[in-house]
Amino acid sequence: MRKDIITTEYFQDNERFADFFNGYVFRGKKIIQPEHLTEQEIRGVMGREGTNGRSGRKYLYRDILKKSCQGMHYLLLGIENQSDIHYAMPIRNMIYDAIAYDEQLTSIRKKHKQVQDLKGAEKLSGFSRNDRLAPVITAVIYYGKQPWDGPKDLFGMLQMSAIPKEALKYINNYKITIFEARRDKVDCFHTEIRQCFQFLQYESDRKVLRQLVERDEAYQKLSGDTLEMLSILSGESKLMINKEQYGSEREGGYNMCKAFEDERLEGKREGRREGKKEGIKIGENRAIKKMAHGMRSLGVSIDIILQAIMESYHLSRTEAERYLN
């Protein structure tokens, strides 16, 4: 299972989704209520039916889109998960948001057409002077280790140096909302996304990370979802391989303090380096296949299994994939 699938599934949870927007976008105010969130269609369509029976449609897929009821009105909220920097993100998000507005407009036009209640200019546009669209907010969560150096607005993608200054005010800009999981403040969050982001921010400093885990009781009862997020984003595949040693959902969660007692998580990997130099022997081939088979029988995701093989035997992803066949 790829990183983008796991991160998307993680934020499908309404509690986490609402916590992210309340903490980051609304600066701690509880504007979004989890119980008032409903899933929306993530597939959007660009273009319409073409000529000669040919379709001019192009389907685009968001990661997550939810509707938040705000009294008599509502907001459309989207999350895009990024493991890598996307240098065309402003246009990508602009298209997503434009599609969301266009779909609302299409829906309103259909309703007016059914009841035939518009005249003149309103009928021509299919949109009355009193009609309104729901605002759309799309936030990007970036998990990469390198600081985001891509453009954060449309202007950052445009060649502006030769444009006369008089024309600048007539060129519309489009900004993106981006949260850098490994760098931005996390004290505004109240669900386990706080612990998830904190872990990523301190993972390179094992001493500080261990102190954090021991001090924060929330790390002693993490959900399986958060444990999997930490495992896939930090590359610590042993978190999922050995998770039964740290607790269970039935026992109230997983204890990261126990995980730190596992020397394999502490970075004692001298044997792995030696294995790379000597190459994999016949017996090791059998051991890897047995390991992969055992993990698959336990329902461990393909991505986690591959990471475990790659880390344990210093193989490339392509080499590791041979043992899954």
Side-chain angles (χ1 to χ4, degrees), residues 17-147:
F17 188 93
D19 188 33
F20 174 77
F21 277 95
N22 286 334
Y24 185 63
V25 174
F26 299 110
R27 304 301 185 218
K29 296 180 181 179
K30 293 186 177 181
I31 303 297
I32 308 302
Q33 302 298 322
E35 62 272 19
H36 295 157
L37 288 170
T38 55
E39 298 288 333
Q40 299 297 292
E41 175 63 61
I42 62 171
R43 187 180 75 166
V45 182
M46 283 184 65
R48 299 291 182 228
E49 291 295 338
T51 58
N52 299 324
R54 295 180 180 178
S55 175
R57 294 179 177 180
K58 178 181 179 181
Y59 293 100
L60 298 176
Y61 293 82
R62 281 179 172 267
D63 285 346
I64 307 172
L65 185 65
K66 293 177 184 282
K67 179 193 289 187
S68 172
C69 293
Q70 307 295 131
M72 295 296 292
H73 305 286
Y74 65 91
L75 284 168
L76 287 175
L77 304 172
I79 287 180
E80 295 300 314
N81 293 293
Q82 285 296 129
S83 297
D84 301 302
I85 298 170
H86 195 304
Y87 290 97
M89 205 72 205
I91 288 182
R92 179 178 167 184
N93 276 15
M94 184 170 64
I95 291 172
Y96 285 150
D97 290 353
I99 289 174
Y101 286 123
D102 184 58
E103 288 176 345
Q104 292 182 64
L105 179 59
T106 299
S107 178
I108 290 173
R109 284 172 170 166
K110 286 181 179 179
K111 291 178 181 178
H112 284 306
K113 189 174 182 179
Q114 288 174 353
V115 297
Q116 294 291 313
D117 61 340
L118 299 182
K119 297 179 179 180
E122 289 184 335
K123 185 175 183 179
L124 181 65
S125 61
F127 193 82
S128 79
R129 59 175 56 87
N130 295 319
D131 286 328
R132 294 294 182 270
L133 305 178
V136 182
I137 300 175
T138 299
V140 178
I141 303 180
Y142 169 59
Y143 303 94
K145 293 184 178 181
Q146 299 300 319

Side-chain angles (χ1 to χ4, degrees), residues 250-316:
R250 186 174 57 256
E251 296 170 356
Y254 297 88
N255 191 335
M256 285 298 295
C257 291
K258 291 183 179 180
F260 270 95
E261 293 172 3
D262 185 347
E263 66 178 8
R264 287 166 292 188
L265 187 61
E266 285 291 336
K268 296 182 179 180
R269 301 183 173 104
E270 292 82 0
R272 298 177 190 174
R273 299 190 184 96
E274 305 248 342
K276 179 65 175 180
K277 296 176 183 178
E278 296 177 6
I280 300 176
K281 301 175 182 178
I282 295 176
E284 290 175 327
N285 279 320
R286 285 197 289 263
I288 297 172
K289 289 182 178 180
K290 184 177 180 181
M291 171 185 174
H293 178 74
M295 292 173 69
R296 291 184 77 169
S297 66
L298 293 173
V300 178
S301 69
I302 297 298
D303 205 50
I304 295 293
I305 297 173
L306 287 173
Q307 282 191 20
I309 295 174
M310 291 160 64
E311 288 181 8
S312 299
Y313 295 93
H314 273 266
L315 298 177
S316 67

Side-chain angles (χ1 to χ4, degrees), residues 9 15 62 97 118 144 167 176 223 317:
E9 289 180 347
E15 292 282 347
R62 281 179 172 267
D97 290 353
L118 299 182
I176 61 174
S223 68
R317 187 180 183 91

Side-chain angles (χ1 to χ4, degrees), residues 187-214:
D187 55 2
C188 54
F189 302 124
H190 302 286
T191 63
E192 286 184 351
I193 65 174
R194 178 175 183 170
Q195 284 70 39
C196 182
F197 295 151
Q198 278 181 330
F199 190 97
L200 296 177
Q201 292 180 2
Y202 293 105
E203 67 169 323
S204 61
D205 190 331
R206 310 299 288 188
K207 182 178 180 180
V208 173
L209 181 59
R210 182 162 189 162
Q211 291 174 347
L212 174 68
V213 168
E214 292 175 346

Side-chain angles (χ1 to χ4, degrees), residues 163-171:
I163 302 298
K165 62 180 182 180
E166 293 83 2
L168 294 180
K169 67 178 181 180
Y170 298 101
I171 303 174

